[in-house]
Amino acid sequence: MAASTMGYLFEFPTTGSALTALKGKSINDDSELPPPRKVARHGSASSPHKHRTTATGRTGLNPIEIKLRTPAQAPDFAAMHTLVYKFIRTFLQTGKGGYSGCLGDIHEACKVLVLEANQGDALEGVLTTSLRLCCENILREFKSSDASVNDFLEKFLNWWSWWHRRLDTLRAVLLFLDIVHLESHENKSSIREAGFQRFKDTVLLSSYTMRNIEEALKAWSNDKRMGVLTVDEPRLKKLVRCTEDLGCYEPCIEEPYLSRTTEFYAKESAKATSKTAVEYLQLCAKSYEQEKEIEMGDFRPETSAASSLIALQQLVIPHIDLLAKEALADIIATRDHKYFVELHNMLTRVTSSSKSWTASPSDTLLSHYRSDIISRVKDIVTDTEHDATMVDNLLELKEFLDTCLSKEFLDDVEQSDRQYTHATSEAFEKGFACRRIKPAEMIARKIDSLMREGQKSSSDGEFFVKMTRILTLYRFSPDKDAFRTFYKRALTKRLLLGRSASDDFEKQVLEVLSKSYDAAFSDMTQMFKDLVVSKDLLDDYRHPKRNEPERPDLNLSVMVLQHSMWPVAKKVSKPNTGVEIRLPSKMEEALNDYADFYRTRHGNRRLTWAHYLGTATLRAYFPAGKKELSVSLYQATVLLLFNERDEWSTEEIEDRTSLGTSDLVPTIQSLALGKQQLLRRTDARIGKNVKRDDRFSFNEEFTDTKVKIRVNTIQQNDTVEEIQQAVKVIDQHRDASLEAAIVRVMKAAKTMKHQQLVNETIDAVSKHFRPDVNAIKSRIESLIEREFIARKDGNTNVYSYLA
């Protein structure tokens, strides 16, 4: 276009008067001719070319005659203006076929008017008025008849195409007006710009057109959501491109579409009352995904994103409690992590849509999440009827929550991971605190069970993954001293009863516990050293020196333990007897012989027997074959009685063995009413309860495919009395720890107020247990009575340390 324009601007005029003054002369007068000059001759007598001569005989030149065209008359500017005016008005009439004259003449007239007559402003006024009138006529054509959505789209696009072509032709014909007059001024618009702006203001942004566009968008979006399409989508796409060309995409397309989307999902939100919480969550998720798919190729990406977000806002915000509380509770109850992730990500998107929340949807979900987990952990921990499955239930809940919060699913991984991990830990800690000591005890028992089973077919890594999962719960327990106590008791029984799957694993677990959880676990490694010393001592006993007597039973195995390192106490099974159990005479003889041997090595030490931890191996002869029975010392004592006679009553066994009811009844149950029924009850009474008059006999019909049989023993598990004794020991240790902490704090501070002393005491022991404030007050009073501290000057709120 630039090249053609320059050609027009530099076109030369067809007439001029520059050479008019030059006149030719007649060459008839010889006197006016210049004298003849000599011509050189080259190599011949005469030249082949001869000069033409006049009548007088002299040579001369022909005259030159220049003919000039006469100047044109002055242009008729008025006629040209009329010509251009009629062209513009006629060409922009919507009801006629257009201009039929010569466009070249219009082009020339426009050029003259702009360049010579300086009538650019007048032509601009004519053009502006004509554009306005034409667009008004187009709008009237629209309003002349009602039309369907598709008819409207067709008519609008036809008029837009017609208008586009008219503007292109106008610019080509009125080129000098567009280039020289309009585009050269910053405050003027070109013919195309002015035409687009007029069409936009008059036609596109009219209430009639906007209403029809909204209806078209509404019908199209509803069709897409229903899965059927009745609106001509290609034409609708052209309409969107038209709004982009005219610079009004937002008011014409985006704003109406988002407004209709808001109305649609506001109605959908009302369906919440007829659905369950999870069903409504599914509706929200489906609507969000559906809205992301409802997009047109010419929609801006931000429009599709905004419509999806609006769908969530309209569906979620009015029913935030339904989703964040009820749906969350159902999801956790059914352990459906996919719905949890969907709910979390959905509320996160809604939260990100605004920064002016009083309580954002994400915060609401987090709050209900924390409350729900606290309630569930509390229910599991306080369910005394299912203590046996407490740890399994807690592990299952924790694993589900870890899956929900994994990086694989969450949108905002780092932020969400921190918030929900903290909320989970807080919930478990508060849930564990609802029941004193028991959760720690059950975690220790779960580890005991795992250590008894061993890794079996799993690898070392898989075994320690299981162990780590259980120890994760240990972190939440406030009673870490209780866990340590029960773990030590369980380790003792595993080592002494030979129930541990591997000593190497035992040592590795202790190393993990001491390094990652509590350094006090490192003290338990001394137990393994005691076992090594006991083994060496037993080897010396079984190989007597020459001057020593023969041993009554070389199969005797004795473990000598340090009382300070092993939680083993002297036990009196039956009150007023002073003995734990009355063993068979041969057993008593062998034990007395070992005690005499031990005194020869360590005269200043005294052995205290713990028969409840003892085991024995018996050979039993049945009609079906010989069996080797691995039993506890209590079970062995009872079984050996049936070598003396065939039947014994419960009362007779009690008198003979001196076992109390709390030990005797479980022992008989394990032998006669358990899995391996070596004894049988003579009457046909049903039930596992044992009465004093029940009579038992040796079960000669016992059969088992194994030759070596391990009979389940009650000694491998803590009895109720042992658990109560352990809790009592824990309380005693806690009282001592509290007193030691109070004394240390007061010794350093010398004087301190009551509340500050309580706070610092709690901080001092919090790594091991969470003390009750009343217990601290009780220890303070005890220290005052024993004159370790005193109230300063009679002030009950201030204490001073007594050196």
Side-chain angles (χ1 to χ4, degrees):
M1 182 182 296
S4 62
T5 302
M6 294 301 294
Y8 279 118
L9 292 176
F10 286 92
E11 184 179 6
F12 289 96
T14 57
T15 60
S17 57
L19 300 178
T20 310
L22 181 62
K23 299 181 180 180
K25 291 184 179 181
S26 175
I27 312 178
N28 293 325
D29 187 1
D30 292 340
S31 62
E32 294 183 4
L33 293 175
R37 61 178 179 173
K38 296 180 180 179
V39 178
R41 301 178 184 270
H42 299 281
S44 62
S46 63
S47 174
H49 303 286
K50 295 183 178 180
H51 295 279
R52 192 175 56 177
T53 61
T54 63
T56 60
R58 296 184 60 185
T59 61
L61 297 175
N62 291 328
I64 298 174
E65 182 179 2
I66 298 177
K67 295 182 179 181
L68 297 178
R69 191 174 60 184
T70 57
Q73 295 180 352
D76 188 351
F77 295 141
M80 291 181 179
H81 184 276
T82 302
L83 181 64
V84 174
Y85 174 83
K86 289 182 178 180
F87 160 72
I88 295 174
R89 286 299 182 90
T90 304
F91 191 68
L92 291 178
Q93 288 182 0
T94 58
K96 295 184 178 181
Y99 184 72
S100 60
C102 178
L103 297 181
D105 294 340
I106 307 302
H107 176 81
E108 290 296 327
C110 178
K111 179 176 67 173
V112 172
L113 291 175
V114 172
L115 295 178
E116 299 184 25
N118 195 24
Q119 292 189 16
D121 288 335
L123 292 181
E124 179 187 358
V126 173
L127 180 64
T128 302
T129 303
S130 299
L131 292 175
R132 176 179 57 80
L133 293 175
C134 183
C135 287
E136 290 175 354
N137 290 334
I138 292 174
L139 183 60
R140 278 193 292 271
E141 291 285 342
F142 269 140
K143 296 181 178 181
S144 62
S145 62
D146 294 333
S148 64
V149 169
N150 288 332
D151 291 339
F152 163 77
L153 292 174
E154 182 181 8
K155 290 175 64 176
F156 178 87
L157 293 174
N158 288 339
W159 278 115
W160 169 242
S161 178
W162 179 87
W163 183 253
H164 212 285
R165 292 194 302 270
R166 282 293 190 269
L167 292 179
D168 289 342
T169 304
L170 280 175
R171 186 178 185 279
V173 175
L174 307 179
L175 184 63
F176 278 84
L177 174 66
D178 196 36
I179 294 177
V180 177
H181 179 72
L182 298 178
E183 291 188 0
S184 62
H185 293 80
E186 294 183 358
N187 59 343
K188 296 181 181 294
S189 300
S190 67
I191 293 176
R192 181 185 293 272
E193 292 172 349
F196 280 7
Q197 186 65 38
R198 177 53 58 188
F199 190 89
K200 169 185 172 181
D201 294 340
T202 305
V203 180
L204 184 59
L205 295 181
S206 67
S207 59
Y208 173 81
T209 305
M210 291 293 293
R211 183 169 63 253
N212 279 275
I213 291 176
E214 289 184 19
E215 291 299 322
L217 291 172
K218 177 182 178 181
W220 171 80
S221 58
N222 288 342
D223 286 351
K224 296 286 278 189
R225 294 181 183 113
M226 298 298 295
V228 294
L229 197 59
T230 60
V231 177
D232 191 335
E233 190 172 59
R235 287 176 175 167
L236 186 59
K237 288 183 178 182
K238 292 180 180 179
L239 173 63
V240 174
R241 287 196 293 271
C242 171
T243 61
E244 286 280 15
D245 293 341
L246 297 177
C248 55
Y249 173 85
E250 290 86 355
C252 293
I253 301 298
E254 186 172 81
E255 293 176 6
Y257 177 71
L258 296 182
S259 176
R260 293 297 184 180
T261 301
T262 302
E263 293 177 6
F264 177 82
Y265 284 106
K267 294 178 181 178
E268 289 291 299
S269 176
K271 297 180 180 179
T273 56
S274 61
K275 296 180 179 294
T276 65
V278 174
E279 288 174 346
Y280 187 68
L281 172 62
Q282 293 173 343
L283 172 65
C284 295
K286 180 181 178 181
S287 299
Y288 176 74
E289 295 299 328
Q290 174 181 268
E291 201 62 30
K292 287 201 303 183
E293 295 175 1
I294 299 178
E295 62 174 305
M296 196 185 303
D298 292 273
F299 266 8
R300 292 179 183 175
E302 53 266 30
T303 304
S304 299
S307 65
S308 301
L309 189 57
I310 286 175
L312 284 185
Q313 290 173 334
Q314 294 300 315
L315 293 171
V316 170
I317 295 177
H319 307 287
I320 186 64
D321 286 335
L322 176 68
L323 293 169
K325 185 177 182 180
E326 297 180 26
L328 176 66
D330 292 342
I331 289 169
I332 297 177
T334 57
R335 302 294 193 265
D336 194 330
H337 75 274
K338 292 183 179 179
Y339 279 136
F340 176 86
V341 172
E342 190 68 54
L343 176 62
H344 171 273
N345 291 340
M346 183 186 303
L347 297 190
T348 300
R349 296 184 192 107
V350 175
T351 300
S352 64
S353 66
S354 175
K355 296 183 179 179
S356 59
W357 298 103
T358 302
S360 71
S362 291
D363 292 340
T364 302
L365 178 64
L366 182 63
S367 177
H368 286 302
Y369 172 87
R370 184 185 294 105
S371 300
D372 188 276
I373 302 304
I374 291 175
S375 176
R376 292 181 188 278
V377 174
K378 180 180 178 181
D379 290 343
I380 294 173
V381 167
T382 56
D383 186 3
T384 56
E385 295 182 359
H386 298 89
D387 281 346
T389 59
M390 177 194 297
V391 176
D392 290 330
N393 294 336
L394 291 171
L395 285 174
E396 189 269 338
L397 176 61
K398 182 64 169 59
E399 287 183 359
F400 165 72
L401 298 177
D402 289 343
T403 302
C404 292
L405 304 176
S406 64
K407 296 181 179 179
E408 179 182 358
F409 301 111
L410 296 187
D411 287 347
D412 186 5
V413 177
E414 296 183 359
Q415 181 70 15
S416 299
D417 182 63
R418 289 194 300 269
Q419 291 180 339
Y420 281 87
T421 299
H422 179 73
T424 301
S425 300
E426 180 184 352
F428 271 78
E429 289 172 0
K430 289 185 177 181
F432 275 42
C434 294
R435 191 175 180 188
R436 183 174 175 268
I437 294 179
K438 196 65 179 180
E441 174 194 342
M442 299 312 298
I443 295 172
R445 287 193 183 188
K446 184 64 179 180
I447 295 179
D448 176 57
S449 175
L450 186 62
M451 297 303 296
R452 290 173 187 271
E453 294 175 0
Q455 67 184 92
K456 295 184 178 179
S457 60
S458 61
S459 64
D460 292 356
E462 293 172 340
F463 177 81
F464 276 100
V465 167
K466 295 179 182 178
M467 182 64 66
T468 303
R469 286 173 48 223
I470 300 173
L471 290 177
T472 300
L473 297 180
Y474 162 72
R475 291 184 181 275
F476 302 134
S477 174
D479 302 312
K480 292 180 173 56
D481 59 336
F483 171 82
R484 189 170 60 249
T485 298
F486 284 105
Y487 182 88
K488 190 173 185 180
R489 293 174 66 87
L491 175 62
T492 296
K493 289 194 174 184
R494 290 197 299 274
L495 296 179
L496 298 183
L497 298 177
R499 295 294 188 265
S500 178
S502 170
D503 286 353
D504 291 336
F505 276 132
E506 294 284 4
K507 294 176 182 178
Q508 291 178 32
V509 172
L510 281 178
E511 184 178 2
V512 171
L513 287 169
S514 61
K515 289 183 177 180
S516 302
Y517 297 91
D518 189 346
F521 281 98
S522 61
D523 297 339
M524 298 184 192
T525 56
Q526 181 63 39
M527 300 168 72
F528 293 92
K529 297 178 182 179
D530 287 353
L531 295 181
V532 174
V533 173
S534 295
K535 183 177 180 300
D536 294 340
L537 196 61
L538 186 61
D539 288 341
D540 291 344
Y541 173 77
R542 289 175 175 173
H543 300 86
K545 298 179 181 180
R546 293 182 179 179
N547 57 347
E548 293 180 343
E550 292 291 330
R551 305 305 182 197
D553 187 354
L554 292 178
N555 292 323
L556 176 66
S557 178
V558 178
M559 296 181 183
V560 181
L561 313 175
Q562 297 184 57
H563 181 71
S564 60
M565 297 305 303
W566 296 74
V568 177
K570 181 179 179 180
K571 181 177 181 180
V572 177
S573 180
K574 191 175 182 178
N576 303 323
T577 61
V579 296
E580 180 182 352
I581 186 174
R582 190 177 300 162
L583 298 174
S585 57
K586 289 186 177 181
M587 291 185 180
E588 287 285 358
E589 180 184 356
L591 293 180
N592 291 333
D593 183 66
Y594 186 88
D596 294 338
F597 161 77
Y598 187 79
R599 277 193 293 271
T600 62
R601 299 298 179 92
H602 304 282
N604 296 328
R605 299 180 184 176
R606 182 168 60 89
L607 293 178
T608 300
W609 299 102
H611 298 312
Y612 67 95
L613 295 174
T615 59
T617 301
L618 303 179
R619 293 187 180 89
Y621 298 91
F622 298 92
K626 183 174 66 173
K627 304 293 181 181
E628 189 174 290
L629 307 177
S630 178
V631 295
S632 70
L633 201 54
Y634 285 7
Q635 290 171 328
T637 301
V638 173
L639 286 174
L640 290 174
L641 291 178
F642 290 87
N643 286 336
E644 300 179 16
R645 67 181 194 217
D646 294 338
E647 287 188 9
W648 290 81
S649 67
T650 304
E651 186 176 3
E652 290 171 341
I653 296 173
E654 181 181 346
D655 293 339
R656 183 65 180 271
T657 61
S658 295
L659 284 173
T661 303
S662 60
D663 291 324
L664 179 60
V665 171
T667 300
I668 293 177
Q669 287 175 336
S670 65
L671 294 173
L673 305 173
K675 183 178 180 181
Q676 293 91 7
Q677 296 185 2
L678 303 174
L679 304 177
R680 64 182 178 183
R681 190 159 45 191
T682 56
D683 60 353
R685 186 169 59 84
I686 299 175
K688 291 190 175 183
N689 58 320
V690 177
K691 297 181 178 180
R692 292 181 62 82
D693 57 351
D694 284 347
R695 300 191 67 82
F696 299 91
S697 63
F698 188 69
N699 183 14
E700 295 183 353
E701 298 178 359
F702 174 79
T703 58
D704 197 298
T705 57
K706 299 178 182 178
V707 176
K708 294 183 178 181
I709 302 172
R710 174 173 289 181
V711 181
N712 293 330
T713 63
I714 62 169
Q715 282 80 7
Q716 64 183 338
N717 297 318
D718 288 340
T719 63
V720 175
E721 292 180 355
E722 288 175 329
I723 293 174
Q724 292 175 348
Q725 181 64 27
V727 173
K728 184 178 180 181
V729 171
I730 291 170
D731 288 338
Q732 291 173 350
H733 288 169
R734 288 185 174 183
D735 288 344
S737 298
L738 287 175
E739 290 184 353
I742 293 170
V743 171
R744 285 197 303 271
V745 171
M746 290 301 302
K747 186 175 181 180
K750 303 303 181 184
T751 302
M752 186 172 290
K753 292 184 177 181
H754 173 79
Q755 190 58 48
Q756 184 180 0
L757 177 59
V758 170
N759 293 339
E760 296 201 16
T761 302
I762 292 175
D763 292 340
V765 300
S766 60
K767 291 184 178 180
H768 303 286
F769 64 96
R770 187 173 299 165
D772 182 68
V773 176
N774 292 328
I776 297 176
K777 291 180 179 179
S778 176
R779 292 302 93 206
I780 291 175
E781 294 296 332
S782 176
L783 291 173
I784 292 175
E785 291 177 2
R786 289 178 286 161
E787 298 183 350
F788 283 91
I789 60 176
R791 290 185 174 89
K792 186 177 181 180
D793 300 331
N795 189 342
T796 58
N797 194 40
V798 181
Y799 305 106
S800 59
Y801 177 72
L802 301 178

